[in-house]
Amino acid sequence: MRQWLGIGFLAGFLVLAGGTGCRSTGGARASERPAWGSTNVPPSSAAVDSPRYVRRHHLTFHNEQEVGEYLVLAAKKQSAEENYRALNRLLMEKAHAVQSINQELEKDYKLTPGLRCEYNAETRTIWTAEDDGKGGTVKRDLCRLPDVDSEKTFTRLLELRKQGLIEAATINGGMGRAEKELLRIQKTLADEYSLARDRDYELVPQSRRLIEKVPIPQRFELEGP
């Protein structure tokens, strides 16, 4: 029985490997590489290296109801940002885990990125088909597993990698939904209150004034209050 072994890559934040793998003929097919698009980190509040900024009056709310409506929307934005960052951390953790498995497969079984190979369970041999320069292919043995225990270790790594890629795809989908929600809230803040996505704002409850905190580069002098 021959098995196709797929070693794909996880794109978005961390490239793990490039389309390597083996397939099984007569056995269960390993996971195909999931479709990945570029994942853009959504804009969030401006991160300033130092507290150098000027405070500028942005607007004044008419009453407490307007203040409350703004605070609810601002809290939703903060929650959406935290959710996105949490998913981003999970994706990075999963990416590193799959990368570690791919490195182990390359080190111990010579499954390097770019190879298309097969595994023959009867002879416990991993081999690849290469271009012979004449329009055909030739088979080249990559690795022969010495015993059943080594085969179990090998197939277990493949299973772990497959599960990791499936979980990463699920996380990536959640990040896409979280990004859309965050951008929707940011658009509402921009439309309703003219808030810029790359600025921080501070509410002064007593006066119902919303203050924009404008960061100033180190090379310039601070002006204003």
Side-chain angles (χ1 to χ4, degrees):
M1 180 178 66
R2 293 180 300 170
Q3 182 177 24
W4 174 262
L5 311 175
I7 299 181
F9 66 88
L10 185 59
F13 296 106
L14 181 63
V15 174
L16 300 177
T20 321
C22 286
R23 129 190 124 182
S24 300
T25 49
R29 289 183 63 87
S31 63
E32 297 291 337
R33 191 190 79 187
W36 293 87
S38 61
T39 305
N40 299 318
V41 179
S44 60
S45 299
V48 185
D49 293 334
S50 72
R52 286 171 47 88
Y53 58 83
V54 295
R55 296 160 56 88
R56 183 167 62 194
H57 177 238
H58 182 66
L59 57 81
T60 301
F61 294 104
H62 295 98
N63 50 54
E64 294 302 321
Q65 180 178 346
E66 286 189 354
V67 172
E69 292 171 351
Y70 164 76
L71 289 176
V72 168
L73 197 58
K76 288 182 178 179
K77 177 189 175 183
Q78 181 178 357
S79 177
E81 287 179 328
E82 291 173 352
N83 182 41
Y84 187 92
R85 286 194 291 267
L87 289 171
N88 182 33
R89 287 193 297 270
L90 286 175
L91 183 61
M92 290 297 294
E93 290 172 3
K94 194 61 59 178
H96 283 294
V98 176
Q99 182 185 42
S100 178
I101 294 173
N102 280 346
Q103 289 174 342
E104 190 171 351
L105 287 168
E106 180 174 355
K107 175 178 176 290
D108 296 339
Y109 307 101
K110 302 180 182 179
L111 296 183
T112 57
L115 288 180
R116 293 176 61 85
C117 58
E118 293 188 3
Y119 174 63
N120 190 321
E122 295 176 356
T123 62
R124 291 197 291 267
T125 302
I126 305 170
W127 55 269
T128 183
E130 299 179 338
D131 186 359
D132 64 0
K134 302 177 182 179
T137 58
V138 293
K139 293 182 180 180
R140 178 172 66 87
D141 287 352
L142 292 177
C143 179
R144 188 182 298 273
L145 305 181
D147 50 41
V148 174
D149 288 340
S150 62
E151 182 179 41
K152 289 180 179 179
T153 300
F154 175 64
T155 55
R156 178 59 177 164
L157 286 173
L158 296 181
E159 291 172 1
L160 289 173
R161 189 213 53 230
K162 175 182 177 180
Q163 185 61 34
L165 290 175
I166 292 173
E167 293 173 357
T170 300
I171 296 170
N172 191 65
M175 287 181 64
R177 292 187 293 273
E179 181 180 10
K180 288 181 181 179
E181 174 63 10
L182 178 56
L183 292 176
R184 182 191 67 80
I185 295 171
Q186 288 174 331
K187 183 178 185 305
T188 302
L189 286 168
D191 293 343
E192 296 293 331
Y193 307 105
S194 296
L195 266 60
R197 292 186 297 181
D198 60 346
R199 292 286 170 83
D200 284 333
Y201 297 84
E202 180 180 296
L203 176 67
V204 182
Q206 295 83 354
S207 62
R208 299 193 299 273
R209 298 176 70 190
L210 193 63
I211 304 300
E212 180 182 22
K213 299 165 69 173
V214 184
I216 304 299
Q218 291 287 345
R219 66 181 183 278
F220 293 106
E221 295 293 332
L222 285 174
E223 298 180 5

